[in-house]
Amino acid sequence: MTESKESTVRLLITCPDQPGIVAAVSRFLHLKGANIIHSDQHSTDPEGGRFFMRNEFFLPGLDLDGLDGLRREFEEEVTNGFIMDWSLNPVWQPKRMVILCSKVDHALMELLWRWKRGDLEADIAMVVSNHPDLRESVEHFVPFHYVPVGPSLRDKVAAEDRIMELMGDVDLIVLARYMQILTSDFVSRFSNRIINIHHSFLPAFVGADPYRRAHERGVKLIGATAHYVTAELDEGPIIEQDVIRVTHSHDIADLKRLGGDIERHVLARAVKWHLEDRVIVDGNKTIVFRR
Amino acid sequence: MTESKESTVRLLITCPDQPGIVAAVSRFLHLKGANIIHSDQHSTDPEGGRFFMRNEFFLPGLDLDGLDGLRREFEEEVTNGFIMDWSLNPVWQPKRMVILCSKVDHALMELLWRWKRGDLEADIAMVVSNHPDLRESVEHFVPFHYVPVGPSLRDKVAAEDRIMELMGDVDLIVLARYMQILTSDFVSRFSNRIINIHHSFLPAFVGADPYRRAHERGVKLIGATAHYVTAELDEGPIIEQDVIRVTHSHDIADLKRLGGDIERHVLARAVKWHLEDRVIVDGNKTIVFRR
Amino acid sequence: MTESKESTVRLLITCPDQPGIVAAVSRFLHLKGANIIHSDQHSTDPEGGRFFMRNEFFLPGLDLDGLDGLRREFEEEVTNGFIMDWSLNPVWQPKRMVILCSKVDHALMELLWRWKRGDLEADIAMVVSNHPDLRESVEHFVPFHYVPVGPSLRDKVAAEDRIMELMGDVDLIVLARYMQILTSDFVSRFSNRIINIHHSFLPAFVGADPYRRAHERGVKLIGATAHYVTAELDEGPIIEQDVIRVTHSHDIADLKRLGGDIERHVLARAVKWHLEDRVIVDGNKTIVFRR
Amino acid sequence: MTESKESTVRLLITCPDQPGIVAAVSRFLHLKGANIIHSDQHSTDPEGGRFFMRNEFFLPGLDLDGLDGLRREFEEEVTNGFIMDWSLNPVWQPKRMVILCSKVDHALMELLWRWKRGDLEADIAMVVSNHPDLRESVEHFVPFHYVPVGPSLRDKVAAEDRIMELMGDVDLIVLARYMQILTSDFVSRFSNRIINIHHSFLPAFVGADPYRRAHERGVKLIGATAHYVTAELDEGPIIEQDVIRVTHSHDIADLKRLGGDIERHVLARAVKWHLEDRVIVDGNKTIVFRR
């Protein structure tokens, strides 16, 4: 069954686990006439743990005005007695997404290309880069903005201000090999809304030139991790990871090429799941309601 | 969280999808004081489709008598108005399981060994084989019965009768490379309770000596499929599948060895999921609520 | 080590296995002053089997004229006494490649995009399609030719003639979801030089609408196979295969989307290996000297 | 082709790369009347790099006396002019192997069970443990020795002396979750002959209780690494690595169970490859000539 997106809504809930949550939510949806299409839930511990829920439902005739009413009713009729983070997201309104990149295009092009195929539920508003190189490739798909970043912190802040001005309201920022460290101010403004991709190895090779060191160490797997960006570099909640097998006969250039391949696939999955409201952040980890 | 099994129950539901199922079930569980630990659901189509649900919940103090009462109450208070297949299964009572095998031991030993480690929620009552060869290996773990099968249909029926007599009541029969075709009478008596494993290839090689033919064809993957046994040979509902990569340098013996490895892992996963009530059969396919 | 391509040559050999082949070949290369960079070999059976070899070597100063001389010397000094198929391929001359496609772009775009990144050792001369739809996407990379195919066999032959005229000399034809069956005449003219991609399932679903039937059957894996095209449809030598895991919650559209993903990766690997002279055809199977 | 092991020998070579190695070796084998069954080679760089070679060949009638003669001839006729590490290993003489373990049996039992199936080319002389718990499980297969290790370094040295006395000459020591750190003296005595397995994560979790920390961090993959033991703990040359996918719904016990599964498979592959002379150590990395 391929569902139409019209009048379809996703309800995300996070709250301390306690008896009665599912009963209250499902009663509410039933009384409103909603058809539940998908439902996932997870409890870290039914006693004293945290509870997470994702419902995708169809409510015939629901539009944006109706959705506002539904939100008020949910607030009044369900959330009472629970300490609940929740949102009701209209599926027919794609999230507004912006991609930041630098010179390397593999992760960027995978996103643009999947988006063009209709595989990503997003409105990609623009691509912003601190280098002009990828303009032509990008403009084939969406607008491109070149925002150079100077060497000083003052320059960085100015560039971020310019990026925010260009972006306007945004639901998701994807760092597709954007080789600039964002200020903690910028990061906290878009909490759980910035996704980054980086290479991963077993063991980890912290510091410069990790592919060269992975090659010297003779690793048999190289991988990639997509995560939400937090103030601590590359330490935010992990959304997705994957690896690819390598051998002694792969040189450093091969490792980088294969690493790029695994990066683009991992990032594309993480972005797709975020856009489909499948990812809920719980402290420094994620709940991912995959299919 | 590692949950204790005492007073823990799994509720499985299959019914035509219609509004209100989840509300009715969750209200019932809430009113009875149950803590839902895990819940999974799936709808093939909210309009005119089929609905499947698995709930694992903890109800403090519940014992077998209490469970009987709960079943009556569920019947009276919930099922009314729905055409519902359902069961309430006590987690603290492991399923009674019997393994049938012939001469090859790889799938058998994987099951026995995982079971001994506490990885399979079963009471493995016995192993039955139509050959005596594996007696010593098996008796290290569980009782072994040798039930030879003669060449005639009459012999086969007699052997199956003997097996049923030995088994008594049984929740699951696993064919761990049991090289006998079961009668359709036997199969229908244990509907959705017999799991078989067989090799799988892309493309398929129907008939004799598939590994030789896969080798001649130069396939790059060999696989295995675990499924419930139905009257149609190897055509029952698929529970799990997996593959392993092979190359031109693997000879036929290598393919068989690697095929055996993938078979034992696929079968072990299918059996584990069945024992944990994660598999619901829907016509000729399965819903598998994996983690 | 990332090797320069200049003066680098690949030697491919197929012959009945017999003592002395490696000694003769390696002595020849040593006397000519060649540095062997990579060497792979395979024997189906040292007694009465077939032997396959791939050598990549560097011979300082070698150009196309020198290569012609080397070929003559190899013929005279090595092949005597062996029934040998062999070729010496200059790495600095990329193979001339043409892609045929129809309306679906996933496999095509993956190839174009990898090629643009420098990941495919080819000169992609053009893309030819029996539909005009993909012109714009393609012309961003390479020339596009629209060659419609009428309903009659006469039309098909005319279209193939037109394609051959457009292509000129060509080392590799890739069918990236080209939805036309080629004539056996065309196929035999480009023996072991046409690569096709198609979906693969366990079990196989021959005939129409395989994704719908895979969904109905509840398969847990869907896959793809890349192979050389022979007169027997989809039965040619397999170059590469892979699968992706699916669940009951994927609908038919999801299966098609995931199938498309696995197709584009499998095809890209097969094409890359062909271009790097890693694939040797042996009857109806392949030897693939992967890294 | 399943080759007989009689009169079959494996030649391993490591040396600085320079022209003429392959020519010299293949000429030698040809003149001696050897049939090469498999041959693999690798060069880190044809100019100034290192060269590695593995040849498996059949020399009719060769026995241990003949092998000694062949070694002398190889020394005299081939190694001159090269700085070569090499060995000629009779395939018909399985390597003598000892397993050290503690209380956990998953990796141990996988090895014993594969060995019993004929999948490991070894003579497993005994299992030694610093705990008596696994005696019964082991004695079903091979002799078991309990060698407790006291808290002081003196105790440890005494235990290692006792282990060496029990083992006698040994080609391979496998640490199947042996929870004792070996002295550097012991380690250096069995250089490149001790294989260990440990869990691996992305990112790495150094220190205590890594599974708990991996769970807190919400990793999506857990893995295992098999490596040769060197004086630096868990930093020796990597032989094999693999990972398994996990989700938010796996608790710490699940991660440990799945981690144990991946450990036993990775260790079994590493041991198998070592026994088949497929692994050559190059500084702190390995060349693995897999099939």
Side-chain angles (χ1 to χ4, degrees):
Chain A
M1 149 214 73
T2 307
E3 55 280 329
S4 152
K5 291 170 177 175
E6 226 176 301
S7 304
T8 302
V9 176
R10 298 199 193 102
L11 168 62
L12 297 187
I13 293 174
T14 303
C15 69
D17 201 357
Q18 67 183 83
I21 304 170
V22 179
V25 171
S26 56
R27 184 169 186 274
F28 174 83
L29 292 177
H30 180 45
L31 292 178
K32 299 303 170 194
N35 269 358
I36 297 175
I37 301 167
H38 298 294
S39 176
D40 291 287
Q41 44 196 281
H42 174 65
S43 171
T44 60
D45 192 339
E47 307 209 26
R50 293 180 67 71
F51 176 81
F52 306 88
M53 190 178 207
R54 176 188 187 270
N55 275 289
E56 188 169 319
F57 61 87
F58 175 69
L59 215 167
L62 189 75
D63 57 13
L64 282 184
D65 283 349
L67 184 59
D68 277 341
L70 195 72
R71 284 176 180 137
R72 279 192 303 272
E73 292 163 357
F74 187 84
E75 178 79 42
E76 286 161 19
E77 298 170 29
V78 177
T79 63
N80 210 5
F82 301 106
I83 305 158
M84 202 179 262
D85 284 336
W86 61 274
S87 63
L88 279 162
N89 308 323
V91 175
W92 68 91
Q93 269 208 333
K95 290 184 172 54
R96 184 175 164 87
M97 166 175 156
V98 167
I99 306 174
L100 306 191
C101 65
S102 293
K103 288 180 169 178
V104 173
D105 71 346
H106 62 274
L108 168 70
M109 294 312 288
E110 179 79 18
L111 291 173
L112 290 175
W113 179 82
R114 282 185 181 271
W115 170 75
K116 200 184 169 197
R117 288 191 75 203
D119 192 18
L120 297 181
E121 292 183 2
D123 168 19
I124 300 187
M126 70 192 67
V127 170
V128 180
S129 176
N130 60 329
H131 292 280
D133 311 43
L134 298 175
R135 177 182 297 278
E136 200 203 334
S137 296
V138 168
E139 286 184 343
H140 195 56
F141 296 91
V142 296
F144 176 91
H145 297 283
Y146 168 42
V147 179
V149 183
S152 75
L153 179 58
R154 182 171 297 232
D155 295 333
K156 186 187 285 284
V157 168
E160 289 185 354
D161 284 347
R162 175 71 183 130
I163 292 173
M164 284 190 280
E165 188 185 5
L166 284 166
M167 291 194 305
D169 277 345
V170 71
D171 297 303
L172 176 63
I173 299 169
V174 179
L175 309 185
R177 305 303 289 153
Y178 182 61
M179 304 311 280
Q180 289 286 326
I181 296 175
L182 299 168
T183 65
S184 59
D185 183 56
F186 186 95
V187 167
S188 61
R189 193 171 296 203
F190 299 98
S191 174
N192 298 337
R193 283 186 288 157
I194 312 177
I195 296 179
N196 188 30
I197 182 74
H198 65 78
H199 42 64
S200 299
F201 303 92
L202 318 87
F205 299 100
V206 181
D209 217 351
Y211 281 104
R212 185 186 51 75
R213 290 161 67 210
H215 185 257
E216 285 169 5
R217 187 72 171 76
V219 298
K220 307 304 181 192
L221 298 174
I222 59 173
T225 297
H227 63 97
Y228 288 111
V229 176
T230 57
E232 283 185 78
L233 189 66
D234 291 348
E235 292 288 323
I238 295 169
I239 305 169
E240 171 64 340
Q241 303 184 293
D242 210 344
V243 295
I244 196 168
R245 191 168 275 280
V246 297
T247 75
H248 60 265
S249 70
H250 290 102
D251 58 34
I252 297 174
D254 292 324
L255 296 190
K256 286 182 180 170
R257 179 177 55 77
L258 292 168
D261 270 358
I262 200 75
E263 279 177 7
R264 64 186 173 109
H265 301 142
V266 167
L267 180 62
R269 289 204 291 269
V271 167
K272 179 175 174 64
W273 295 339
H274 176 98
L275 294 169
E276 296 175 355
D277 296 308
R278 297 184 179 280
V279 190
I280 303 181
V281 175
D282 174 34
N284 201 38
K285 63 198 276 190
T286 62
I287 312 303
V288 182
F289 291 121
R290 298 181 57 174
R291 279 198 278 198
Chain B
M1 149 213 72
T2 308
E3 53 283 327
S4 152
K5 291 171 177 174
E6 228 175 299
S7 303
T8 303
V9 176
R10 297 198 193 103
L11 168 62
L12 298 188
I13 293 173
T14 304
C15 70
D17 201 358
Q18 68 184 85
I21 304 169
V22 179
V25 171
S26 55
R27 184 169 185 275
F28 174 82
L29 292 176
H30 180 44
L31 292 177
K32 299 303 170 193
N35 269 359
I36 297 174
I37 301 167
H38 297 294
S39 177
D40 292 286
Q41 44 197 280
H42 174 66
S43 171
T44 60
D45 191 338
E47 307 209 26
R50 293 181 66 70
F51 176 81
F52 307 88
M53 190 178 209
R54 178 188 186 268
N55 275 289
E56 187 169 319
F57 61 86
F58 175 69
L59 213 167
L62 189 75
D63 56 13
L64 283 183
D65 283 351
L67 183 59
D68 277 344
L70 195 71
R71 283 176 179 135
R72 281 192 303 274
E73 292 164 356
F74 187 85
E75 179 78 42
E76 286 162 19
E77 299 170 29
V78 178
T79 64
N80 210 5
F82 302 105
I83 305 159
M84 202 179 264
D85 284 335
W86 61 275
S87 63
L88 279 161
N89 306 323
V91 175
W92 67 91
Q93 269 208 332
K95 289 185 172 54
R96 184 174 164 88
M97 165 175 158
V98 168
I99 306 174
L100 306 191
C101 65
S102 293
K103 288 181 169 178
V104 173
D105 72 345
H106 62 274
L108 170 69
M109 295 311 290
E110 179 80 18
L111 291 173
L112 291 176
W113 179 84
R114 282 185 180 269
W115 170 74
K116 200 184 169 197
R117 289 191 75 201
D119 191 19
L120 297 182
E121 292 182 3
D123 167 19
I124 300 187
M126 70 193 67
V127 169
V128 180
S129 176
N130 60 330
H131 292 281
D133 312 43
L134 299 175
R135 177 181 297 278
E136 200 203 332
S137 296
V138 169
E139 286 184 343
H140 195 57
F141 296 91
V142 297
F144 176 90
H145 297 283
Y146 166 43
V147 179
V149 183
S152 75
L153 179 58
R154 182 171 299 231
D155 294 333
K156 186 188 287 282
V157 168
E160 290 185 352
D161 285 347
R162 175 69 184 132
I163 291 173
M164 283 191 279
E165 189 185 3
L166 285 165
M167 292 194 304
D169 277 347
V170 69
D171 298 303
L172 177 62
I173 299 169
V174 179
L175 309 185
R177 305 302 290 151
Y178 182 61
M179 305 308 282
Q180 290 286 326
I181 296 176
L182 299 167
T183 65
S184 60
D185 183 56
F186 186 95
V187 166
S188 62
R189 193 170 298 201
F190 299 97
S191 174
N192 297 338
R193 282 187 290 157
I194 311 177
I195 296 179
N196 188 30
I197 182 74
H198 64 77
H199 42 64
S200 300
F201 302 93
L202 318 87
F205 299 99
V206 181
D209 218 351
Y211 281 105
R212 185 186 52 74
R213 290 161 67 210
H215 184 257
E216 285 170 5
R217 188 72 171 76
V219 298
K220 306 305 181 192
L221 297 174
I222 59 173
T225 296
H227 63 98
Y228 288 111
V229 176
T230 57
E232 283 185 78
L233 189 66
D234 293 348
E235 292 288 322
I238 295 169
I239 305 169
E240 171 64 342
Q241 304 185 292
D242 211 346
V243 295
I244 196 168
R245 191 167 276 280
V246 296
T247 76
H248 60 266
S249 71
H250 291 101
D251 58 34
I252 297 174
D254 293 325
L255 296 190
K256 285 182 179 168
R257 179 176 55 78
L258 292 168
D261 270 357
I262 199 76
E263 279 177 8
R264 63 185 175 112
H265 300 142
V266 166
L267 180 61
R269 288 203 292 269
V271 167
K272 181 176 173 64
W273 295 338
H274 177 98
L275 294 170
E276 296 175 354
D277 297 309
R278 296 185 180 281
V279 190
I280 302 180
V281 174
D282 174 34
N284 201 37
K285 62 198 277 192
T286 62
I287 312 303
V288 182
F289 291 122
R290 298 182 57 175
R291 278 197 279 197
Chain C
M1 150 213 74
T2 307
E3 53 283 328
S4 153
K5 290 170 178 175
E6 226 176 302
S7 304
T8 302
V9 176
R10 297 200 192 101
L11 167 62
L12 297 188
I13 293 173
T14 303
C15 69
D17 201 357
Q18 69 184 83
I21 304 169
V22 179
V25 171
S26 55
R27 183 168 186 275
F28 175 82
L29 292 177
H30 180 45
L31 293 178
K32 300 302 170 195
N35 269 359
I36 297 174
I37 302 168
H38 298 294
S39 176
D40 291 287
Q41 43 195 281
H42 173 66
S43 170
T44 61
D45 191 338
E47 307 210 25
R50 291 180 69 70
F51 175 81
F52 306 89
M53 191 179 207
R54 176 189 188 270
N55 275 288
E56 187 169 321
F57 61 86
F58 175 70
L59 215 166
L62 189 75
D63 56 13
L64 282 183
D65 283 350
L67 183 59
D68 277 343
L70 196 71
R71 283 177 180 135
R72 280 193 303 273
E73 291 163 356
F74 187 86
E75 179 78 42
E76 287 162 19
E77 299 170 28
V78 177
T79 64
N80 208 6
F82 303 105
I83 306 158
M84 202 180 265
D85 283 337
W86 61 274
S87 63
L88 279 161
N89 307 323
V91 176
W92 68 91
Q93 267 208 333
K95 289 185 172 54
R96 183 174 164 88
M97 164 176 158
V98 167
I99 306 174
L100 305 192
C101 65
S102 293
K103 288 181 171 179
V104 173
D105 70 347
H106 61 274
L108 168 69
M109 295 311 289
E110 180 79 19
L111 291 173
L112 291 175
W113 179 84
R114 282 186 180 269
W115 171 74
K116 200 184 169 195
R117 288 192 74 202
D119 192 18
L120 297 181
E121 291 183 3
D123 166 19
I124 300 187
M126 69 193 69
V127 170
V128 180
S129 177
N130 60 329
H131 292 280
D133 311 45
L134 298 176
R135 177 182 297 277
E136 201 202 333
S137 296
V138 168
E139 287 185 342
H140 194 57
F141 296 91
V142 297
F144 177 91
H145 297 283
Y146 167 44
V147 178
V149 183
S152 75
L153 180 58
R154 182 172 297 233
D155 294 333
K156 186 187 286 284
V157 168
E160 290 184 353
D161 285 348
R162 174 71 182 130
I163 292 172
M164 285 189 281
E165 187 185 7
L166 284 166
M167 292 194 304
D169 277 345
V170 70
D171 298 302
L172 177 63
I173 299 169
V174 180
L175 309 185
R177 305 303 288 151
Y178 182 61
M179 305 309 281
Q180 290 286 326
I181 296 176
L182 299 167
T183 65
S184 61
D185 183 54
F186 187 96
V187 166
S188 62
R189 192 170 299 201
F190 299 98
S191 174
N192 298 337
R193 282 187 290 157
I194 311 177
I195 296 179
N196 188 29
I197 182 75
H198 64 78
H199 42 63
S200 299
F201 302 92
L202 320 88
F205 299 100
V206 181
D209 218 351
Y211 281 104
R212 185 185 52 73
R213 291 162 66 209
H215 185 257
E216 285 169 5
R217 188 71 173 75
V219 299
K220 307 304 182 192
L221 297 174
I222 58 174
T225 296
H227 63 99
Y228 288 109
V229 176
T230 57
E232 282 185 78
L233 189 65
D234 292 347
E235 293 289 322
I238 295 170
I239 306 170
E240 170 65 341
Q241 303 185 292
D242 210 345
V243 295
I244 196 168
R245 191 166 276 280
V246 297
T247 75
H248 59 265
S249 71
H250 290 100
D251 58 33
I252 297 174
D254 293 324
L255 296 190
K256 286 182 179 167
R257 179 176 54 77
L258 292 167
D261 270 357
I262 199 76
E263 280 176 9
R264 64 186 173 110
H265 301 143
V266 167
L267 180 61
R269 289 203 292 268
V271 167
K272 180 175 173 64
W273 295 338
H274 177 98
L275 294 169
E276 296 175 356
D277 296 308
R278 297 184 178 281
V279 189
I280 302 180
V281 174
D282 174 33
N284 202 37
K285 62 197 279 189
T286 62
I287 313 302
V288 182
F289 291 121
R290 298 181 56 176
R291 277 197 281 197
Chain D
M1 149 214 74
T2 307
E3 51 286 324
S4 153
K5 290 170 178 173
E6 226 175 302
S7 303
T8 303
V9 176
R10 297 198 191 103
L11 168 62
L12 297 188
I13 293 174
T14 304
C15 69
D17 201 356
Q18 68 184 84
I21 304 170
V22 179
V25 171
S26 55
R27 184 169 186 276
F28 174 82
L29 292 176
H30 180 44
L31 292 178
K32 299 302 170 193
N35 268 359
I36 297 175
I37 303 167
H38 298 294
S39 177
D40 291 287
Q41 44 196 280
H42 173 66
S43 171
T44 61
D45 191 338
E47 307 210 24
R50 291 180 68 69
F51 176 81
F52 306 89
M53 189 179 209
R54 177 188 187 269
N55 274 289
E56 188 170 320
F57 61 86
F58 174 69
L59 213 166
L62 190 74
D63 56 12
L64 283 183
D65 283 349
L67 184 58
D68 277 342
L70 196 71
R71 283 176 180 136
R72 279 192 303 273
E73 292 163 356
F74 187 85
E75 179 78 43
E76 286 162 20
E77 300 170 28
V78 177
T79 64
N80 210 5
F82 301 105
I83 305 158
M84 202 180 264
D85 284 335
W86 62 274
S87 62
L88 279 161
N89 307 323
V91 175
W92 68 90
Q93 267 209 332
K95 289 186 171 55
R96 184 174 163 87
M97 163 175 158
V98 168
I99 307 175
L100 306 192
C101 65
S102 292
K103 289 180 169 179
V104 173
D105 71 346
H106 61 273
L108 169 68
M109 295 310 290
E110 180 79 18
L111 291 173
L112 291 176
W113 179 84
R114 282 185 180 270
W115 171 73
K116 200 184 169 196
R117 289 191 74 201
D119 192 19
L120 297 181
E121 291 182 3
D123 167 19
I124 301 188
M126 71 193 68
V127 170
V128 180
S129 176
N130 60 329
H131 292 280
D133 311 45
L134 298 175
R135 177 181 297 277
E136 200 202 333
S137 297
V138 168
E139 287 185 341
H140 195 57
F141 295 91
V142 297
F144 177 91
H145 297 283
Y146 167 42
V147 180
V149 183
S152 74
L153 179 59
R154 183 172 297 232
D155 294 333
K156 186 187 285 283
V157 168
E160 290 185 352
D161 285 348
R162 175 71 184 131
I163 291 172
M164 284 189 281
E165 188 184 4
L166 284 166
M167 292 193 306
D169 277 345
V170 71
D171 298 304
L172 176 63
I173 300 169
V174 180
L175 309 185
R177 305 303 289 152
Y178 182 61
M179 305 308 281
Q180 290 285 327
I181 296 175
L182 299 167
T183 65
S184 61
D185 183 54
F186 186 96
V187 167
S188 62
R189 193 169 299 201
F190 299 98
S191 174
N192 296 339
R193 282 186 290 157
I194 312 177
I195 296 179
N196 188 30
I197 182 73
H198 64 78
H199 42 64
S200 299
F201 302 93
L202 319 89
F205 299 99
V206 181
D209 218 352
Y211 282 104
R212 185 187 51 74
R213 291 161 66 209
H215 184 256
E216 285 170 5
R217 188 71 171 77
V219 297
K220 307 305 182 193
L221 297 174
I222 59 175
T225 297
H227 63 99
Y228 288 110
V229 176
T230 57
E232 282 186 77
L233 189 66
D234 292 348
E235 293 288 323
I238 295 169
I239 306 169
E240 171 64 341
Q241 304 184 291
D242 210 345
V243 295
I244 196 168
R245 191 167 276 280
V246 297
T247 75
H248 60 266
S249 70
H250 290 101
D251 57 35
I252 296 173
D254 292 325
L255 296 191
K256 285 182 179 167
R257 179 175 56 77
L258 292 168
D261 270 358
I262 200 75
E263 279 177 8
R264 64 185 173 110
H265 300 142
V266 167
L267 180 62
R269 289 203 291 268
V271 167
K272 181 175 173 64
W273 295 339
H274 177 97
L275 294 170
E276 295 175 355
D277 297 309
R278 296 184 179 281
V279 190
I280 303 180
V281 175
D282 175 33
N284 201 38
K285 64 197 278 189
T286 62
I287 312 305
V288 182
F289 290 121
R290 298 182 57 175
R291 276 197 279 197

